[in-house]
Amino acid sequence: MDLDRVLSDDGDSAAAAAAGRSICHTGCGRPSRVCLCPYLPPSPLPTSTTVVILHHPHALRRNPLSTLPLLARSLSNLHLLPGRRLASSSASLLAPPSPNPVLLLYPSPGAADLASWCRSTPPSARASPTLLLLDGTWRQAKEMHAASLPLLSSLGVIPVALPVDSGVDGDSMFESELVVKKEPHKGCISTMEAVARALRLLEPEGKGEEIEDAMLRVLRAMVAFQAEHLQNRTVKPRVKMRKKKELRREEHSKPAKQC
């Protein structure tokens, strides 16, 4: 993983640099006033799980709230693949020696609940797994999943998911200390939280909880900074734009001028 490239593509850092604001170049790469270095692990955490993230090309450049740069600083066994679909050249990352499983963490209709899969799978059959995630907007992730499905199927990737309730609206950062932005459904979470929740289940007993706690500590700090920024920001009211149809209706309803 090219960490320098990840940080250079970070939309938040790029915007801050363009505005002339101070950047934490030697640490988290974020604007200095919202530096997350005190919350990051002293060094990237080692895991027996190999985490592979296929991220949309716009995930970093156009999303200042992307959690990928923080993930890159938090985990050592992490691979970031930019692209709109999984390329065959990346298949080597997803073809570990048998019996190490490859899991796709994405809420597809046929995905098994990850916790249930862990309980029903013997430890020897789920040791040192590879965990694949798709990062982007939910629409982008859906397109990436569809485009990558033929290759994923040929590799025997196991679809798993964390619980999502499509019948309930998702939280915002003012309702949850871990939500970076408003989510469409209950259970939809950021990539960083998804990785943390999954590693709690996949890593050896005891170690998973420690990794999850360390990662969520960083995420909580990021959300707290963002929530504080939004609460203190003065938002100018938007001018209501009137529809052409409404204007034409008013024009026709005016009384005719008397000659």
Side-chain angles (χ1 to χ4, degrees):
M1 176 189 58
D2 188 345
L3 182 58
D4 292 334
R5 179 181 59 78
V6 172
L7 293 178
S8 66
D9 284 345
D10 183 2
D12 201 14
S13 301
R21 287 176 282 172
S22 175
I23 302 295
C24 177
H25 290 291
T26 59
C28 62
R30 291 169 56 82
S32 298
R33 62 184 180 83
V34 290
C35 175
L36 291 173
C37 289
Y39 306 94
L40 286 166
S43 59
L45 303 170
T47 60
S48 61
T49 303
T50 300
V51 180
V52 180
I53 300 178
L54 175 66
H55 64 90
H56 194 276
H58 298 163
L60 288 170
R61 294 187 180 91
R62 299 185 184 179
N63 181 14
L65 297 179
S66 172
T67 58
L68 291 186
L70 298 179
L71 268 169
R73 289 294 192 189
S74 300
L75 298 177
S76 61
N77 196 4
L78 172 70
H79 301 270
L80 300 181
L81 305 175
R84 299 172 187 267
R85 69 175 65 196
L86 194 65
S88 56
S89 58
S90 305
S92 59
L93 282 173
L94 304 176
S98 181
N100 305 78
V102 180
L103 308 173
L104 170 64
L105 188 64
Y106 178 79
S108 60
D113 177 71
L114 179 58
S116 300
W117 180 85
C118 289
R119 287 193 297 267
S120 62
T121 306
S124 59
R126 54 183 173 88
S128 302
T130 296
L131 181 68
L132 172 65
L133 298 94
L134 309 176
D135 182 82
T137 65
W138 283 104
R139 179 177 179 178
Q140 290 168 349
K142 185 177 181 179
E143 294 172 351
M144 293 159 67
H145 177 258
S148 303
L149 201 53
L151 180 58
L152 294 172
S153 300
S154 69
L155 295 173
V157 174
I158 302 170
V160 295
L162 297 170
V164 174
D165 188 347
S166 59
V168 180
D169 286 342
D171 294 329
S172 70
M173 67 177 60
F174 300 109
E175 299 163 319
S176 170
E177 61 181 1
L178 295 173
V179 174
V180 178
K181 58 183 179 181
K182 176 70 175 177
E183 298 290 357
H185 304 299
K186 192 74 173 179
C188 292
I189 53 181
S190 68
T191 301
M192 187 164 189
E193 184 179 355
V195 172
R197 302 298 188 194
L199 291 179
R200 178 178 63 85
L201 298 169
L202 295 172
E203 288 295 290
E205 188 173 353
K207 185 180 178 183
E209 287 81 355
E210 294 178 4
I211 294 173
E212 179 189 40
D213 289 344
M215 294 178 66
L216 295 186
R217 179 171 178 261
V218 181
L219 186 58
R220 284 191 185 94
M222 177 183 178
V223 172
F225 277 131
Q226 183 65 15
E228 182 182 6
H229 168 70
L230 292 179
Q231 288 174 339
N232 295 333
R233 187 178 65 175
T234 302
V235 180
K236 295 181 180 180
R238 296 178 62 183
V239 177
K240 184 177 180 181
M241 303 299 291
R242 304 182 68 185
K243 296 181 179 179
K244 291 182 179 179
K245 186 183 295 184
E246 183 181 342
L247 294 174
R248 285 197 298 267
R249 190 183 302 118
E250 287 187 5
E251 187 67 26
H252 290 314
S253 64
K254 289 181 180 179
K257 292 183 179 180
Q258 300 293 327
C259 295

